[in-house]
Amino acid sequence: PAENLLYIADSAHAPYGDLSPERIRDRSERITRHLVEHGAKAVVVACNTATAIAVEHLRTLYSLPIVAIEPAVKPAVHRTASGTVGVLATSATLASPRYAALLARYGDRARVVAQACPGLVERVEQGDWDCVATRRLLHDYVTPLLSAGADQLVLGCTHYPFLRGLIEEIAGPGVEVLETGPAVAAELGRRLAAAAMLA
């Protein structure tokens, strides 16, 4: 709570899920350089797609703590009662080697069904969080996961928590919706404390 925050949304280049890996790495490198030049002592890559494509590259360039974000598959597979977990994410995140590695680590404990969600980031960026078009998109993306038996829905994009209420409404009371923000904040605090840099 005592930290000063520098934040870059990079809305001009959203959605990252539609960019090439090279473009995502370039944007991530430029943004990180800007943050470091303006005094950042740690960086949170608060984008699943940028994490999947660029975080390892960034860690080769900078020695400061770089905290990544990834879909909450691990807690979801531990919490599922039905044995099926649904993941809502961008196409780039789902196609990345990092997501494949995440599935390799935890996918044997439950059936993980992924759903790419083109168009959702744009709806959030435009502030259309509860319009007919957004509801239609979400219904089309969430319904197949529910039909597959998912009782855990993982929000695999940092834009999607803005739609959490609508997702919960569509999914119904028997489905838990998971996001990674609190876990990322806790990890950042832990890393800063371990490096004696916590304000």
Side-chain angles (χ1 to χ4, degrees), residues 128-151:
D128 294 331
W129 302 348
D130 195 18
C131 68
V132 172
T134 302
R135 283 179 172 272
R136 188 179 309 118
L137 272 179
L138 277 175
H139 187 271
D140 290 348
Y141 296 148
V142 171
T143 300
L145 301 177
L146 301 177
S147 296
D151 65 348

Side-chain angles (χ1 to χ4, degrees), residues 66-152:
I66 297 180
V67 177
I69 191 167
E70 63 184 14
V73 171
K74 178 182 177 181
V77 299
H78 289 298
R79 293 161 93 133
T80 181
S82 70
T84 302
V85 168
V87 178
L88 299 162
T90 67
S91 300
T93 294
L94 296 177
S96 71
R98 191 172 180 97
Y99 180 74
L102 185 64
L103 288 185
R105 284 197 314 272
Y106 305 109
D108 61 336
R109 301 176 194 177
R111 178 177 172 225
V112 179
V113 182
Q115 175 64 59
C117 302
L120 277 190
V121 169
E122 293 89 338
R123 305 307 312 169
V124 172
E125 286 282 322
Q126 293 168 11
D128 294 331
W129 302 348
D130 195 18
C131 68
V132 172
T134 302
R135 283 179 172 272
R136 188 179 309 118
L137 272 179
L138 277 175
H139 187 271
D140 290 348
Y141 296 148
V142 171
T143 300
L145 301 177
L146 301 177
S147 296
D151 65 348
Q152 303 287 314

Side-chain angles (χ1 to χ4, degrees), residues 1-6 32 34-44 62-67 188-189 191-193 195-199:
E3 300 294 346
N4 292 314
L5 301 179
L6 301 170
T32 302
H34 178 85
L35 293 171
V36 170
E37 288 172 354
H38 285 81
K41 61 184 177 181
V43 172
V44 175
Y62 298 98
S63 58
L64 54 78
I66 297 180
V67 177
L188 175 61
R191 296 279 299 276
L192 290 175
M197 294 191 299
L198 192 62

